Structure formats: C-alpha cells, structure tokens
Amino acid sequence: MAAMDEVNAHFSSYPDFVYQKLQIASDTFTFAGLKSLINFPQTIYMVRDPLLSAAINSLEPLDIFTGLGQAISVDTNKIISEITDGMLIAVHDASGKVVSIYPVPQPSSRSISLPNMENNVGGSNSAFNEDLNSNLILLRSHLNDNDLRIKSYTFGSHKKNTVMLCYLEQTIDPTLLGTLTQKLEANQQTEISNLKELSSVFQFSNLSLVTHYMTHELPQNAVRAIKNGRAVLFIERLPFAIILPSLVSDMFITEDDMNYPSVFTWMLKSLRIIGSLTTLIFPGLYVALVSVNPDVLRFELAHSIARSRLDVPYPAIIEALLLLGIMELIMEAIIRLPSSIGPTVTMVGGIVLGQAVVEAKLVSNLLIIVLAAATIANATVVGFQNSYTLRLFKYLLLILAAFLGVLGLLSGLVILCAYLAGVRTFGIPYLQLIRPKGE
C-alpha cells in the first residue's frame, strides 16, 4: 500500500518505530506504531486473540478486524497523526482497510521525577531522566507535531552509547541541521558519555568562555527551543536535554515566563538583565572607586568607605579577591554537600566567617554587602552554565578596574561585548536573540 510505504519512509529515522507484517490465521496484517508508547507484545496478543477465535468459529475475520478499533481513511497524514498520538495502526493487506487501535501503553522503565537543577513556577514539574524512552515520551507529550523528526546515532567502538537528535523539519535552519548531522555521522567511532566528549565531536574550542549549548531538565524549555528552530540532543544516561546552539537570550528567557501577563514577563526579563549587570559590575566598581577613583564619590560616602577600611592591611583588589574566593568555596560546598545538611552548614559557616573577617579587620563591611549582592544577582540568570560564564567575566572586569579604575571597568565591558559578538556556534551568532535562523 502506497500510503503505508510513505508512513514507513516518514518514520524511517525514528529509533522506536515498528513496522511489522504478521500472518494471523489465513490473513496478513501490517502493524505500525512507536514502541516507546506501545507495549507491542501485549498489544499484538490483544489483537491476535479475537482474530484467531473468529477463524476457529468460521466468522468473517474482516468484521472482527474492523471492530478492534476505529476505521480511518487511507491518508498518509492521518495515519502519521494517529501514530504520533500513540495509537497502533493495523492494516488488512487483502482489503486495504486501516484501523486505529487503542493499545496497551508502554510502562516507563524509569519513573518521571522532579527536576533537581531547575526550578519552575507555574509550569510542568516533570523532568528528563537517564532513560531515552522516558525522555521521548515527555517530549512528545509537550510537542505532538507531525513535523517532529528524531534521528538516532550509536557512538563508540567499545562502550556503545546512543545519541538522539530531535528537531522540527520546517523550522530548523538547514545549515545548522546539515552541520549537526554531518559531524554526528562522521564521528560515530568516538565514545560520547559526557558533554566534554560531545564538544570534541562538534569541535568546540576548549578555551571558549561562553558555552555553545544549554542543558535543560524541563521538557517545556526543550520544546520552546525546538519551536524556535534549534536542535535538541539526548545522550543515553544523561538526565537532561542538550539545546544547540546556545544564544544570549537563554540567560533571560524561560518558558515559564509565558504563564504570566506580558507586563510581568518583561519585568522578570528586566530583573535578570539587572542581575547579570550587577554581578559583572559591582565588584569591579567597588575596587575602582575605593583604590583608583575615590574622587568621583561624594565626600561623605568616600569618608565612610575610608573609615570602614581604616585597619584593612592590604589593597582593595586583594581584599575583594580574598572574599570572592571564600564565596566561591561556599557555593561549591553547597553543591557537593548532602542536601540534608548542605544549606545549613554553608549558611551558618558563611555568617560566622563573615562576622569573623570583619571583626579581624581583614575586609570592610561595604565589601561584604557588595559581594553578597553580586552573588545573589548571579543566581537570577537562567541556566547554571550562564551563571558560570558571568562568574568568570566578573574577575576580568575586577582586574581591569584595579589597574585603570572606572575607565578599566568600561574598557572591560567593551572587550566583553566585542568577544561575545565574535562567538558563533555552527555559524550562528551568540548575540542573536531568539531564533538561530538568519543573521
């Protein structure tokens, strides 16, 4: 049947597509469906039993067959839509009749859990996990589109690992798709079990200060990226989706923002932009105004800052680097300690340590306020990869401000903008806002 041949060609790249012919009694039937959604052994048994009973009892098998589900037209788009909805398509080869059968659903091998690294407000709480079939079920539940394409690649010669590429055929930039598939197909002997090995396959620079991809646990964020013309990768045993390419808008926009009125959405975006600028500028501005350009401050403020640093025995840059180092250690400890004691230990330790260094005249009170504000603001951006980028850029501006003051801070911002303007992923500029297609 021509329509079923077209359906088979449409799903040919899907790793979970099943297209099978079975002889039941004296008739031949063709079954098609997605094994990530359908428990095929039990579903075929459910279909075969009444057909065999009809043959034994000399009943008309075609009548029994059409009664198994809902008869549908022999239309390629209709059949594809039924399959993506999780239905089993059965075809009676002799008559050409097509029936859509409600199947036995495929139980997930791993229960859907809550996200660990991403918090959401007002959106879905389901999170991707290490099982590829579970991830496909989640993705399809949020994006049931006939235009969705899924390709599977097996990597490694000793330790086999599966990588799945998902995209919308009519939306993705053809150049991006061609580059992705070419690099994936050309490096299938390479083992991919982590993001560093994936970066080597795509030939991303190890010295890049900006991540070329985003990782998301929440399926709604992955679907938003697919709709905007980007590609999503799933790697076996990694509990998140990998979005390619990464864009600057990923820092400030999340799918959950769409659950609010437009005014609130823009307010949240503005807060994230202010937070990123606070993280970058505040530490460097403190050092610049204290050690290089104190004359730009009002006398009362300059006098108050000078009094707070009266007994501090080293320059402002050393003072800032010392406290920044302690803050970085606290943030790393929060991640590594068990969740039952981590926040408590680090909060109490931070309070005690902060009070102790002020009383010992090792740092000023104002610096603690500045760095606490910068650290909190760093957490407002979307994605922990982006927060690492801001934390790194913060030190560049801090060092330039220590030598050149406010001029160095402004020069550092210009250097960062120039650097970001030159970052490209598969030819797509990092500073492009939402969609990777076009310039």
Side-chain angles (χ1 to χ4, degrees):
M1 183 184 291
M4 291 306 295
D5 292 338
E6 293 177 7
V7 170
N8 192 21
H10 176 88
F11 289 104
S12 60
S13 64
Y14 281 52
D16 57 342
F17 179 65
V18 174
Y19 185 84
Q20 187 175 10
K21 288 183 178 292
L22 289 178
Q23 181 79 26
I24 301 177
S26 60
D27 294 299
T28 303
F29 299 89
T30 301
F31 297 97
L34 300 173
K35 65 180 180 182
S36 61
L37 304 177
I38 299 173
N39 186 326
F40 263 88
Q42 293 187 23
T43 303
I44 296 299
Y45 179 81
M46 178 186 73
V47 171
R48 185 186 60 180
D49 192 51
L51 292 174
L52 290 176
S53 299
I56 294 173
N57 297 321
S58 301
L59 299 176
E60 180 58 42
L62 192 57
D63 294 336
I64 302 298
F65 173 72
T66 53
L68 292 174
Q70 181 182 3
I72 60 175
S73 59
V74 186
D75 178 70
T76 303
N77 292 329
K78 176 64 176 176
I79 295 174
I80 291 174
S81 177
E82 290 290 313
I83 290 176
T84 54
D85 283 340
M87 304 298 286
L88 176 72
I89 297 298
V91 181
H92 186 254
D93 289 355
S95 64
K97 289 187 176 294
V98 181
V99 174
S100 177
I101 301 171
Y102 191 81
V104 178
Q106 179 71 275
S108 177
S109 60
R110 162 78 186 272
S111 60
I112 304 300
S113 59
L114 297 175
N116 294 319
M117 298 296 293
E118 288 184 274
N119 293 323
N120 66 312
V121 180
S124 171
N125 279 322
S126 301
F128 292 125
N129 55 44
E130 297 85 356
D131 183 65
L132 291 180
N133 283 336
S134 299
N135 293 341
L136 288 179
I137 292 172
L138 272 178
L139 186 67
R140 287 198 178 100
S141 67
H142 286 77
L143 182 65
N144 188 0
D145 194 319
N146 294 344
D147 197 35
L148 178 65
R149 298 291 182 268
I150 302 174
K151 294 184 178 180
S152 178
Y153 301 90
T154 301
F155 285 84
S157 54
H158 302 291
K159 182 183 177 182
K160 298 289 185 181
N161 208 10
T162 303
V163 175
M164 289 188 180
L165 171 64
C166 309
Y167 59 92
L168 289 178
E169 189 173 37
Q170 300 299 322
T171 306
I172 193 169
D173 182 2
T175 304
L176 170 62
L177 178 60
T179 306
L180 272 173
T181 54
Q182 186 270 328
K183 291 186 178 296
L184 290 172
E185 291 170 357
N187 294 276
Q188 290 189 260
Q189 296 302 314
T190 305
E191 292 187 1
I192 296 181
S193 57
N194 53 56
L195 295 182
K196 184 178 180 181
E197 293 173 348
L198 181 67
S199 297
S200 66
V201 167
F202 291 138
Q203 299 175 342
F204 294 148
S205 172
N206 292 328
L207 300 178
S208 176
L209 303 181
V210 176
T211 180
H212 292 275
Y213 49 79
M214 285 289 295
T215 60
H216 284 296
E217 286 183 298
L218 297 175
Q220 57 264 37
N221 290 330
V223 168
R224 175 183 171 275
I226 291 179
K227 289 180 179 178
N228 287 332
R230 288 191 269 177
V232 169
L233 288 176
F234 292 106
I235 300 179
E236 193 174 4
R237 293 183 291 276
L238 290 186
F240 45 73
I242 303 162
I243 314 298
L244 286 164
S246 175
L247 303 177
V248 67
S249 60
D250 294 334
M251 283 192 183
F252 314 118
I253 302 175
T254 180
E255 181 65 19
D256 292 337
D257 295 343
M258 302 301 110
N259 295 322
Y260 303 106
S262 298
V263 175
F264 297 156
T265 299
W266 283 105
M267 182 185 70
L268 291 173
K269 294 177 184 177
S270 301
L271 285 175
R272 294 181 188 125
I273 294 173
I274 293 171
S276 63
L277 293 177
T278 299
T279 301
L280 290 173
I281 294 174
F282 268 31
L285 186 62
Y286 169 84
V287 173
L289 295 180
V290 167
S291 60
V292 182
N293 301 111
D295 51 306
V296 303
L297 298 172
R298 289 175 59 89
F299 173 76
E300 294 84 359
L301 182 57
H303 181 64
S304 176
I305 294 174
R307 286 181 58 190
S308 70
R309 298 195 70 255
L310 187 62
D311 296 322
V312 177
Y314 32 69
I317 179 64
I318 302 299
E319 176 191 15
L321 288 175
L322 174 64
L323 203 55
L324 277 173
I326 293 174
M327 294 295 292
E328 298 289 355
L329 292 174
I330 291 175
M331 293 180 67
E332 187 66 16
I334 292 174
I335 298 174
R336 303 303 169 192
L337 283 172
S339 58
S340 58
I341 63 171
T344 303
V345 170
T346 51
M347 181 180 66
V348 173
I351 293 172
V352 172
L353 191 58
Q355 183 69 23
V357 295
V358 170
E359 291 184 355
K361 303 297 182 182
L362 297 178
V363 298
S364 66
N365 291 321
L366 180 60
L367 179 61
I368 290 182
I369 296 173
V370 168
L371 294 190
T375 303
I376 293 171
N378 187 61
T380 60
V381 298
V382 179
F384 67 90
Q385 300 100 331
N386 291 323
S387 67
Y388 285 148
T389 298
L390 292 181
R391 284 162 66 181
L392 186 60
F393 286 160
K394 172 178 62 182
Y395 290 100
L396 171 63
L397 297 181
L398 182 67
I399 293 171
L400 288 175
F403 287 101
L404 301 175
V406 175
L407 177 62
L409 186 62
L410 294 176
S411 301
L413 290 174
V414 172
I415 292 172
L416 288 185
C417 290
Y419 173 76
L420 294 178
V423 175
R424 289 174 174 264
T425 305
F426 303 132
I428 296 169
Y430 177 72
L431 293 184
Q432 202 156 293
L433 289 180
I434 297 178
R435 292 179 177 271
K437 190 174 182 178
E439 289 293 332

